[in-house]
Structure formats: C-alpha cells, structure tokens
Amino acid sequence: MIRTKGMKGLGGLVLAGLLAAVVAAFVVARASGGDPVTTAGARYAVTVTADRNTIDVRLDRGEADTVTVAAVMPAMGHAMPEVTARKTAPGHFVAEGDLFSMGGGWELSVRLTGPPGEETLTLVTLVAD
C-alpha cells in the first residue's frame, strides 16, 4: 500500500513537471516574437508578423509596389507614426526600427498600393515586451 501511494505521488510530480515545461515553452515562444496574423480585403491578402523592432508583411494575394504600416494601441492611447516597409523580395516587405512604444495589443493599418489599386487592411497583433 505504501508503495502504491508513492507511485501515485511520483506520477503527480511527473505530470506537474510536464505541465510546467509546456507552460515555459509557451512563454518563451510568445516572448520571442509575435504570432503571424492573416487578413484579407477585396484586393489584397497579407500575413503580418510583428515584434518590437520589425513588422514583416507577406502578400498572400495581390501585387503591391508599396506598403506602409501605422500602429495604434487603443487601450493606452498610443499611436506610432506611419512607416514605409522596404521590399525585400516579390510579395515581401519589412519595416524596421523602434516601431512600438511598449508591448501589448496593437492595431495595425497596413496600406498597400499596386496594380490592383490601394487598400488599407486592419488587424490586431500582440507585441511582446
């Protein structure tokens, strides 16, 4: 009987250790950068990944010549100036610099201009602190 109780206690410790490892892995993954967010409009579809210093915009539909991004944090009343992303490859644009004043939920307005016309897509992303 004592041996069985010891085994149940050991199983609980193993389960707690596994749960702690999963939570730690999730926290590290969230702190290392933003999760990709996909949105679409009538002319364009994009996947955007953002962290404190980089906004990565990949076109999933449409062809753009220029991409600009403006960021607003409605919960705190912060707004960052619009930045122009540089084209690094066909359908891939990157903006770099001190893009966000703090971590948290940000609303991004991605303005795309190209042969299909101009369109602004809005999305929300979580920026790690």
Side-chain angles (χ1 to χ4, degrees):
M1 287 288 201
I2 295 174
R3 188 171 192 204
T4 304
K5 286 183 180 178
M7 292 299 284
K8 285 182 183 177
L10 181 60
L13 287 174
V14 169
L15 181 60
L18 287 173
L19 181 60
V22 168
V23 169
F26 178 75
V27 169
V28 168
R30 295 293 292 178
S32 65
D35 291 329
V37 178
T38 301
T39 190
R43 296 178 173 97
Y44 301 96
V46 297
T47 299
V48 177
T49 306
D51 62 33
R52 284 294 288 269
N53 302 309
T54 307
I55 299 172
D56 185 278
V57 179
R58 294 188 183 267
L59 275 70
D60 300 320
R61 179 172 36 91
E63 181 183 329
D65 298 321
T66 61
V67 173
T68 59
V69 183
V72 175
M73 183 182 237
M76 300 297 287
H78 297 305
M80 302 304 288
E82 184 177 68
V83 295
T84 301
R86 66 182 166 80
K87 190 173 191 174
T88 60
H92 185 208
F93 294 81
V94 176
E96 296 174 310
D98 190 18
L99 302 171
F100 302 98
S101 57
M102 64 186 299
W106 286 86
E107 183 178 291
L108 301 180
S109 295
V110 180
R111 186 166 44 93
L112 304 111
T113 305
E118 183 175 311
E119 183 170 36
T120 300
L121 304 176
T122 303
L123 58 103
V124 175
T125 189
L126 182 63
V127 175
D129 205 14

